[in-house]
């Protein structure tokens, strides 16, 4: 992995300010979460900073704030960056080193732009259509900042050298571009003018396109991209009110991906307590998982970020297996720890056959404590395994937010998290750490630098 010497920037921590706001909110009686959003500049609407795994809603926002940290320790914040600013150390570095937190370059020497991403082995066709297994890294191209991100794809044979395959799914700059730009004309040639209006409405440069994830569909021999598709609505100006999952397809991970639509997903059954009944089927931070039998699932945060769901996909991987209105609980979907307020879900199956669901708490771009739940069956009983991170700064996931856990060809498991830089999102960094199984529990320890097994 090539890295360049670029100073890491400390993530914006607004705890002091937020603490004052808590007091102000108590006096004024207005929503604490709205104020947090206002000051964090996220425009994110109702979010909380607490961990609650029961059905109860938070009664004490101030208590939640006390879990926040002013800063991360130097070891985690700067450790890897310092290594490469030291000339002597630099000479000793080989290209085959995972140097978390540094700026990672692709094989063209450009900064890798694949945030909120996913890495997996999948068949990749060459120019003659002949497929070989490669690592595919899909993620947000954040040069445009928070909104209107294209989706980028990189491929690699060894996880160190990443070849840019292009911005494989593009946000639309203007409605006219769909009629006039040959890229979009070809891609959407069979669409009516009304359908083009809708495509523009869903994936224009002012919309949220986050956490893209890919699946290879063996049955159709195609690639299906899902992402968090969001925007403001007539009712609400914050950018996460649409709360949907978007879907696009292509014959190659190198794109171009054609947008099919965006959807609300599974809904809380009538006999359970819905943590946000006014907005059914919301889907925000999301991830995909393909089981050994080919069945694929989407996991996502719903009910205004209060409850994680896992829902089964159809055989084409382009929609749910069953419409939300007809879906059967524990056959088509499951809610996990209602009210726990988790996001950034990562679903994976260990070598031991157990399912794991890792997630973060909901503090926007700020890091917080990770949590893992595990289960023998995907729609079975999930247990709380607690924080998988161990050691210094384990309580803030080593200043990262979960986005992917993947096995290498050699059988090593890697945790990949984003270290967001809220003041310059394109400069957010990638952190990879070895993930180990300790009995049935997973464990992640900080390593500034390591070589893959
Ligand atoms: C995070 C989320 C990111 C992005 C960000 C915006 O909590 O995981 O994907 O949505 O909030 O505030």
């Amino acid at each position: 992995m090539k890295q360049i010497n670029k100073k890491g920037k400390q993530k914006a921590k607004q705890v002091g300010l937020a603490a004052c706001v808590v007091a102000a909110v108590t006096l004024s009686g207005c929503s604490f979460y709205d104020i947090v959003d206002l000051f964090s500049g996220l425009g994110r609407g109702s979010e909380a900073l607490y961990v609650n795994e029961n059905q109860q809603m938070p009664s004490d926002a101030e208590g939640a704030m006390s879990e926040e940290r002013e800063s991360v320790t130097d070891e985690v914040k700067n450790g890897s960056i310092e290594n490469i600013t030291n000339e002597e150390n630099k000479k000793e570095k080989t290209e085959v080193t995972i140097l978390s937190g540094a700026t990672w370059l692709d094989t063209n020497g450009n900064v890798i732009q694949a945030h909120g991403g996913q890495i997996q082995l999948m068949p990749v066709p060459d120019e003659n259509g002949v497929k070989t297994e490669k690592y595919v890294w899909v993620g947000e191209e954040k040069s445009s900042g928070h909104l209107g991100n294209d989706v980028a794809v990189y491929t690699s044979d060894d996880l160190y050298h990443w070849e840019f395959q292009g911005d494989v799914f593009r946000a639309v700059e203007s409605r006219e571009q769909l009629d006039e730009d040959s890229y979009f004309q070809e891609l959407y040639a069979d669409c009516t003018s009304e359908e083009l209006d809708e495509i523009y409405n869903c994936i224009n440069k002012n919309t949220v396109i986050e956490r893209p994830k890919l699946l290879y569909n063996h049955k159709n021999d195609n690639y299906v991209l899902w992402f968090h598709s969001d925007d403001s609505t007539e009712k609400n100006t914050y950018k996460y009110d649409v709360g949907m999952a978007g879907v696009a397809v292509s014959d190659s991970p190198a794109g171009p991906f054609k947008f099919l639509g965006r959807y609300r997903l599974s809904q809380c059954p009538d006999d359970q307590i819905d943590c946000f009944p006014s907005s059914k089927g919301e889907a925000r931070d999301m991830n995909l998982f393909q089981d050994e039998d080919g069945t694929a699932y989407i996991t996502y945060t719903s009910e205004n970020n209060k409850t994680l769901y896992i829902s089964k996909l159809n055989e084409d991987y382009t929609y749910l297996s069953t419409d939300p209105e007809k879906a059967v609980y524990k056959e088509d979907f499951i809610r996990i720890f209602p009210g726990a307020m988790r996001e950034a879900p990562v679903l994976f199956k260990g070598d031991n056959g157990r399912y794991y669901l890792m997630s973060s708490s909901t503090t926007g771009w700020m890091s917080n404590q990770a949590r893992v739940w595990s289960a023998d069956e995907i729609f079975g009983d999930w247990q709380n395994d607690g924080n998988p991170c161990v050691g210094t700064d384990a309580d803030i996931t080593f200043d990262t937010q979960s986005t992917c856990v993947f096995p290498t060809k050699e059988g090593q498991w890697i945790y990949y998290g984003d270290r967001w830089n809220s003041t310059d999102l394109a400069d957010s960094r990638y952190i990879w750490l070895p993930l180990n199984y300790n009995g049935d529990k997973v464990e992640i320890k900080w390593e500034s630098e390591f070589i893959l097994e």
Side-chain angles (χ1 to χ4, degrees):
M1 178 73 64
K2 280 186 175 179
Q3 287 94 15
I4 58 167
N5 176 5
K6 204 168 174 186
K7 242 186 155 192
K9 291 177 188 163
Q10 191 177 349
K11 296 180 71 161
K13 302 275 174 185
Q14 294 133 331
V15 175
L17 179 57
C20 301
V21 170
V22 169
V25 167
T26 316
L27 293 175
S28 70
C30 63
S31 158
F32 165 70
Y33 305 120
D34 289 347
I35 305 288
V36 169
D37 273 356
L38 193 70
F39 281 92
S40 65
L42 301 175
R44 185 60 186 271
S46 306
E47 283 187 339
L49 306 168
Y50 70 103
V51 178
N52 171 15
E53 277 162 15
N54 305 313
Q55 296 264 9
Q56 302 143 11
M57 293 297 108
S59 54
D60 172 15
E62 200 165 1
M65 288 305 294
S66 65
E67 290 196 5
E68 264 302 306
R69 300 267 306 263
E70 286 245 7
S71 63
V72 296
T73 63
D74 284 349
E75 188 197 342
V76 163
K77 191 180 67 186
N78 296 325
S80 53
I81 310 288
E82 272 171 4
N83 277 343
I84 51 166
T85 58
N86 174 331
E87 279 306 312
E88 216 167 277
N89 272 351
K90 200 171 163 187
K91 278 189 215 115
E92 286 164 21
K93 303 288 173 249
T94 65
E95 282 197 329
V96 289
T97 303
I98 302 298
L99 208 49
S100 284
T103 301
W104 291 3
L105 304 181
D106 67 13
T107 49
N108 295 325
N110 297 319
V111 174
I112 294 178
Q113 281 293 330
H115 308 277
Q118 171 214 35
I119 293 167
Q120 69 190 301
L121 268 177
M122 57 165 53
V124 176
D126 64 16
E127 55 281 4
N128 302 314
V130 179
K131 292 198 176 67
T132 49
E133 286 257 298
K134 283 180 185 289
Y135 292 105
V136 174
W137 184 351
V138 60
E140 299 160 24
E141 211 290 34
K142 285 204 106 51
S143 304
S144 62
H146 179 199
L147 300 176
N149 299 144
D150 292 337
V151 174
V153 162
Y154 299 79
T155 55
S156 174
D157 290 318
D158 61 6
L159 290 169
Y160 293 109
H161 304 90
W162 290 95
E163 198 176 323
F164 181 54
Q165 299 297 330
D167 292 331
V168 302
F169 178 67
R170 284 175 48 189
V172 188
E173 277 159 32
S174 65
R175 174 61 184 83
E176 293 69 46
Q177 195 182 24
L178 289 173
D179 294 322
E180 292 161 10
D181 181 324
S182 58
Y183 173 92
F184 290 107
Q185 277 177 329
E186 271 174 47
L187 199 54
Y188 296 112
D190 59 348
C191 293
T192 63
S193 179
E194 289 72 34
E195 285 166 343
L196 293 177
D197 290 346
E198 182 59 7
I199 291 165
Y200 175 67
N201 179 43
C202 295
I203 56 166
N204 67 62
K205 283 282 178 190
N206 202 26
T207 61
V208 170
I209 298 173
E210 286 179 350
R211 297 192 174 266
K213 305 288 184 279
L214 264 184
L215 288 171
Y216 172 64
N217 187 291
H218 285 268
K219 182 172 79 84
N220 301 330
D221 187 20
N222 69 353
Y223 299 80
V224 187
L225 175 80
W226 283 75
F227 60 98
H228 172 193
S229 175
D230 228 317
D231 206 347
S232 48
T233 60
E234 278 172 14
K235 281 189 279 167
N236 205 328
T237 55
Y238 74 96
K239 279 300 199 185
Y240 291 87
D241 205 40
V242 162
M244 289 193 181
V247 184
V249 290
S250 174
D251 292 335
S252 164
F257 279 85
K258 180 180 180 183
F259 180 66
L260 297 185
R262 66 181 183 185
Y263 316 102
R264 285 273 169 122
L265 303 179
S266 305
Q267 302 179 3
C268 179
D270 292 341
D271 59 354
Q272 296 182 24
I273 300 171
D274 190 335
C275 299
F276 201 61
S278 61
S279 189
K280 297 272 183 201
E282 268 183 5
R284 292 187 186 161
D285 279 9
M286 45 101 8
N287 216 317
L288 299 173
F289 167 71
Q290 193 172 23
D291 215 337
E292 283 139 301
D293 65 358
T295 312
Y297 300 84
I298 179 167
T299 178
Y300 50 98
T301 183
S302 190
E303 301 175 14
N304 203 20
N305 284 3
K306 292 182 175 65
T307 306
L308 287 179
Y309 279 58
I310 301 174
S311 302
K312 200 191 286 178
L313 298 183
N314 65 14
E315 289 189 355
D316 296 330
Y317 301 163
T318 50
Y319 186 57
L320 299 176
S321 60
T322 313
D323 276 333
E325 292 74 28
K326 297 189 197 128
V328 177
Y329 193 68
K330 287 208 169 187
E331 276 179 33
D332 299 303
F333 74 104
I334 192 172
R335 300 163 79 224
I336 300 176
F337 289 104
M341 203 93 211
R342 310 296 301 176
E343 62 180 1
V346 179
L347 181 58
F348 57 101
K349 192 177 191 175
D351 298 328
N352 53 6
R354 202 165 164 79
Y355 297 91
Y356 295 89
L357 182 59
M358 183 171 177
S359 63
S360 74
S361 185
T362 53
T363 53
W365 306 116
M366 293 188 289
S367 51
N368 53 54
Q369 189 171 309
R371 173 72 42 96
V372 166
W373 293 307
S374 66
D376 286 332
E377 304 284 337
I378 206 153
F379 291 148
D381 295 325
W382 287 82
Q383 75 177 38
N384 182 354
D385 290 347
N387 183 2
C389 300
V390 178
T392 310
D393 289 318
D395 58 337
I396 49 166
T397 323
F398 312 110
D399 195 16
T400 71
Q401 187 182 28
S402 45
T403 191
C404 179
V405 169
F406 64 97
T408 67
K409 286 178 205 165
E410 288 73 25
Q412 184 177 14
W413 283 84
I414 305 292
Y415 162 76
Y416 149 30
D418 293 290
R419 182 173 287 173
W420 298 112
N421 178 346
S422 61
T423 55
D424 181 3
L425 286 167
D427 191 35
S428 302
R429 306 296 172 86
Y430 313 108
I431 308 293
W432 292 7
L433 296 170
L435 176 143
N436 292 303
Y437 292 83
N438 188 355
D440 272 347
K441 302 265 174 71
V442 295
E443 200 173 83
I444 304 168
K445 288 186 182 148
W446 175 254
E447 287 196 37
S448 312
E449 184 176 5
F450 68 98
I451 294 171
L452 293 164
E453 284 168 6

